[in-house]
Amino acid sequence: MIKATDYFQRQELIDLTKDLLRIPSHTGVATQEKEIAAYMLEFFNRHGIQAYLQHVEKERSNVIAFIKGRKSPEGKSLMLNGHIDTEKPDDMNEDLFGAEMSSSNMFEGEVRQGYIWGRGAVDMKGPVAAMMMTLVVLKRAAQKLDGDIVFSGVVGEETRSKGMESLVACEKCLSQHDISLDGAVVGEPTDFQYVASHRGLVWLDIKFIGKGAHSGKPHHGVNAIEKAVAFLNIVKEELYPKLRERRHDFMGTSVMNIGTIKGGTGQSTVAEEALVRLDRRYVEGETLESVIQEYQDIANKMTKEDPSFSIEISRTPESVSVLPHPPLHTEMDESIVLAVKRALQQVLGHDPEVHTEYGWTDGALISKYMKIPTVVFGPGDIALAHTSEEKIDIDDLVKSVEVYTHIADEFCVF
């Protein structure tokens, strides 16, 4: 088993992470992930690693890189996966280090107090840099893997997961290189714990349809906001207790959040329309269809009791591509789970904890639709993602390269 730090310099990893941070790739960037994908492709080519771009849409492409193994009958092939888009930096002009950050600072990857700061540092350009460096380590060490090692950097995870959906649907993307995968690790930040299961996710729009009228004669109208309040009160009374009863050992309980409420046009007008947006996290045993049906059942009951009640339920357009976002569930005795656990034991010197009640990841699509057992592991604290103080510990980045290298050795070497 090789020691990763014998094959790369700490500064190399810092520079790579900073380079990725300096290329904005959030929604609103005209070419979105085009520039960062081009940089990553050039990086792999420069280090003698086979790589190519998989077109997704317009100027957006996934980055696929791989090192072929010896293809022994017992060899297993592993995919390291991460997304190359980020959330917007809208909240990052707040106080940082006692001074207001300029728009350029958000993408500079400034190094302070042992951390690299900036949008995407932890979610998830830092973990992506660690995965890229792992392939460099394996290439430089001429490590003889029995199976293949693959990196996939995908677009659009922060919105509709179009990149992963495109990879899932592209039958030839890996098969044309004689690659069939046996396990995957998604590098979302887990702070040196690991995730074998997490909840599914659906965003719902619930539109309440009323009838406008002058506020001086409200009985001439139907107030959509009032109908929304009545509906949400019943959801809280009847559905919340049911959700708390649905518990998975690793996913946690089924939960929902009322994210936004918008309605009405003015204080002196009966609200003709109201829109409630929900976030539902569902556990194994529930489905997208069963989640939606629960809200529809409440609406049907209310309509019977009140003919003026009118509602439309749909998935939030910004979240809808093609595939539902199901739960991830990987059995704890799967080879990839055991490889991740052993690698963490070797690097940390103690048994790692299983992270429960974790957020949704592209790993669910890999597991569900590519039929590949998948684990989530990456450096960094997820609580710092999407915040004004997003940062990643440099020591953790270095250590994660060691962990990824050990995973490859545990999983791909017979």
Side-chain angles (χ1 to χ4, degrees), residues 47-282:
H47 288 90
I49 297 168
Q50 290 183 272
Y52 62 95
L53 299 182
Q54 181 224 339
H55 180 259
V56 175
E57 64 173 9
K58 298 179 181 177
E59 297 185 273
R60 310 175 74 186
S61 297
N62 294 332
V63 183
I64 312 296
F66 58 92
I67 298 173
K68 296 292 292 179
R70 292 178 293 203
K71 280 298 183 185
S72 66
E74 303 87 355
K76 294 186 179 72
S77 293
L78 171 69
M79 177 167 70
L80 302 178
N81 167 266
H83 62 85
I84 60 176
D85 62 320
T86 71
E87 274 289 348
K88 293 181 179 180
D90 297 349
D91 63 347
M92 296 197 75
N93 59 350
E94 301 178 12
D95 256 14
L96 188 62
F97 317 125
E100 189 168 297
M101 206 165 45
S102 70
S103 58
S104 62
N105 293 142
M106 303 174 195
F107 303 106
E108 276 303 301
E110 187 168 5
V111 176
R112 292 281 186 99
Q113 303 161 343
Y115 290 85
I116 301 175
W117 296 71
R119 175 55 82 231
V122 74
D123 186 22
M124 58 174 296
K125 290 181 177 178
V128 163
M131 290 180 159
M132 294 170 67
M133 190 57 67
T134 299
L135 264 68
V136 172
V137 166
L138 294 171
K139 179 72 174 180
R140 288 175 178 172
Q143 176 75 331
K144 300 300 183 183
L145 302 177
D146 291 287
D148 306 323
I149 181 86
V150 179
F151 167 81
S152 58
V154 297
V155 305
E157 188 271 352
E158 298 288 2
T159 51
R160 303 181 183 183
S161 289
K162 281 194 172 183
M164 183 50 69
E165 287 197 2
S166 181
L167 184 59
V168 166
C170 184
E171 295 182 4
K172 68 176 184 178
C173 286
L174 298 175
S175 62
Q176 66 182 341
H177 299 285
D178 191 30
I179 295 171
S180 58
L181 296 169
D182 303 290
V185 176
V186 174
E188 295 278 6
T190 61
D191 205 11
F192 290 92
Q193 300 177 38
Y194 65 102
V195 177
S197 300
H198 63 59
R199 292 174 289 217
L201 168 65
V202 58
W203 286 353
L204 293 178
D205 279 8
I206 304 183
K207 182 179 178 182
F208 298 84
I209 303 166
K211 180 182 178 183
H214 191 281
S215 61
K217 295 184 178 181
H219 56 285
H220 287 178
V222 176
N223 194 309
I225 294 176
E226 291 182 358
K227 301 301 182 185
V229 170
F231 177 83
L232 292 175
N233 281 334
I234 292 176
V235 167
K236 187 173 181 179
E237 293 169 7
E238 297 184 2
L239 184 56
Y240 276 28
K242 294 178 182 177
L243 299 185
R244 286 193 290 268
E245 292 173 0
R246 298 171 193 165
R247 183 168 190 84
H248 185 278
D249 287 345
F250 301 112
M251 296 180 193
T253 57
S254 189
V255 295
M256 66 167 280
N257 177 63
I258 302 166
T260 63
I261 301 178
K262 296 180 180 179
T265 56
Q267 288 170 277
S268 296
T269 304
V270 174
E272 189 170 356
E273 189 174 289
L275 177 66
V276 173
R277 288 191 154 179
L278 304 178
D279 177 306
R280 267 286 275 117
R281 308 284 170 138
Y282 58 99

